[in-house]
Amino acid sequence: MDSTSTYDDSVRAYDDSVDLRDGATRLSGASRALATEAVHAGRDDLARQGLHAPPIDLSTTYPSYDSRAEAARIDAFAADGADPAGPPVYGRLGNPTVARFETALARLEGTESAVAFASGMAALSAVLLARAAAGLRHVVAVRPLYGCSDHLLTAGLLGTEVTWTDPAGITDALRPDTGLVLVESPANPTLAELDLRAVAHACGTVPLLADNTFATPVLQRPAEHGARLVLHSATKYLGGHGDVLAGVVACDEEFAGQLRKIRFATGGVLHPLAGYLLLRGLSTLPVRVRAASATAAELAHRLTADPRVARVHYPRLGGAMIAFEVYDDPHEVVSRVRLITPAVSLGSVDTLIQHPASISHRVVDAEDRRGAGVSDRLLRLSVGLEDVDDLWADLDRALGEPR
């Protein structure tokens, strides 16, 4: 068996990260630990209001008896995209429930602000549109990325032009009209990892956007390593229960203002109920990520020792995602699971498996896909909160008879 040689190093690195697994991680510049912030950020004012659970504000519009002041507030928003002072104006400018989630996520990622959208792709689209509006349509990107992110860039659907490169080629790929460098680490679906600090240095003054969906702020905070923008498909671990569709960008307040203006103009707003579910999901994020990561590390260990498995990909950072290549037909493996759910997406409390070349990365050209390490025999496993032995029994059965 030709298992990935870095697997043992990955597990040792994960085991050494005691602070991540016991909830004692301290956020940069914060007095409270990550686990505490996950529970309290965005909710600090509730007790003073006599509330315990955050309210859900479903209003689309709000009464105002001072139209002159309202006009001034709209003008101020149009100028810099800052949240309008005072009571809410209209659901497309912002929503109090969604704002709570944005505040909490910014605290967890260590950024000044965060801006939420209707999906992860809506969030990425807003970033690209904001840069294009500044005349900076060129993007430098490192594969692999999530398949739809790759497709959005390659197809030029938003008028952008992309240069694909490896991390060592980022500086040489930059141009005067480069508006963004885009990376994902650990990457979807191969779990390839990048040195974000080195990548940020290579970007110079060009903003680095790091997709942190797989790691979450529990395992990694890219802003601490120089990323100006941190992207999440909040549908995944931030929500955590497979029942909300959302995206969010954590960033500095200047860029947040640009994103709010794009969101207002394009209408890619997050529904308040989704904002409530995401805020609730954040409160258990550290617990869920730590528990699922411990199970994933054990499953990766068992898969590595299995003669039916050709290669295992598991990041040094740890986490709840595993990718592995099988000798058998991967479609047959997927068809034989019973406890594990064969489905797209990831980050839920239940374990999901999918074949990236057929689904999440199908929109990527086959040659580009394979060049990024997404082989036709690769399976991606999103480990949930089930018992490890029950999950292994299902995988053992699905892998079939030994060769």
Side-chain angles (χ1 to χ4, degrees), residues 64-394:
S64 173
Y65 294 94
D66 188 343
S67 56
R68 292 183 182 87
E70 199 82 324
R73 295 169 69 205
I74 296 296
D75 287 346
F77 176 83
D80 59 15
D83 282 323
V89 179
Y90 181 59
R92 194 148 43 82
L93 275 87
N95 172 272
T97 306
V98 172
R100 289 182 180 277
F101 163 66
E102 293 172 330
T103 296
L105 193 277
R107 292 269 284 277
L108 292 180
E109 283 290 4
T111 60
E112 291 180 328
S113 301
V115 184
F117 295 85
S119 70
M121 291 308 301
L124 176 57
S125 295
V127 172
L128 295 175
L129 288 171
R131 301 309 283 159
L136 302 169
R137 296 182 176 274
H138 180 241
V139 177
V140 174
V142 177
R143 282 189 171 116
L145 297 175
Y146 169 54
C148 286
S149 300
D150 189 308
H151 176 65
L152 181 65
L153 293 174
T154 303
L157 296 175
L158 298 178
T160 54
E161 178 188 350
V162 62
T163 296
W164 296 101
T165 185
D166 58 33
I170 289 174
T171 299
D172 289 340
L174 300 178
R175 305 186 329 204
D177 63 338
T178 302
L180 190 71
V181 175
L182 175 58
V183 301
E184 184 174 352
S185 180
N188 187 353
T190 66
L191 303 176
E193 296 177 274
L194 301 176
D195 182 339
L196 291 178
R197 193 175 300 279
V199 169
H201 179 74
C203 293
T205 59
V206 176
L208 170 63
L209 184 153
D211 189 324
N212 203 33
T213 299
F214 275 23
T216 81
V218 176
L219 299 177
Q220 168 180 272
R221 285 171 291 282
E224 295 179 356
H225 301 288
R228 185 178 178 187
L229 307 165
V230 182
L231 174 70
H232 285 272
S233 172
T235 306
K236 313 306 193 296
Y237 288 104
L238 303 189
H241 293 75
D243 55 7
V244 59
L245 196 68
V248 63
V249 179
C251 56
D252 57 67
E253 176 56 27
E254 179 185 358
F255 207 101
Q258 299 174 41
L259 293 178
R260 292 188 196 105
K261 290 194 287 185
I262 295 291
R263 183 177 64 181
F264 173 73
T266 60
V269 296
L270 183 66
H271 192 275
L273 181 57
Y276 172 83
L277 291 172
L278 288 167
L279 185 64
R280 186 175 70 171
L282 287 185
S283 64
T284 61
L285 178 67
V287 177
R288 288 186 286 104
V289 169
R290 291 195 303 270
S293 297
T295 299
E298 174 60 23
L299 290 176
H301 174 73
R302 298 185 189 187
L303 287 167
T304 299
D306 197 297
R308 297 165 294 183
V309 177
R311 193 177 189 192
V312 174
H313 306 259
Y314 187 71
R316 290 179 58 84
L317 193 67
M321 299 298 299
I322 306 171
F324 60 100
E325 299 169 43
V326 295
Y327 290 113
D328 196 5
D329 183 343
H331 302 284
E332 291 300 317
V333 176
V334 170
S335 73
R336 289 193 290 255
V337 295
R338 293 296 177 265
L339 176 64
I340 298 168
T341 302
V344 298
S345 200
L346 56 105
S348 184
V349 292
D350 58 324
T351 300
L352 308 177
I353 192 170
Q354 66 118 327
H355 181 241
S358 296
I359 305 179
S360 63
H361 289 70
R362 190 65 179 178
V363 293
V364 180
D365 177 79
E367 184 176 346
D368 291 335
R369 188 170 65 230
R370 296 185 189 108
V374 186
S375 78
D376 291 341
R377 292 191 176 274
L378 184 75
L379 293 170
R380 192 191 73 187
L381 188 71
S382 170
V383 179
L385 300 181
E386 302 94 337
D387 181 84
V388 64
D389 290 327
D390 290 332
L391 289 173
W392 177 249
D394 198 37

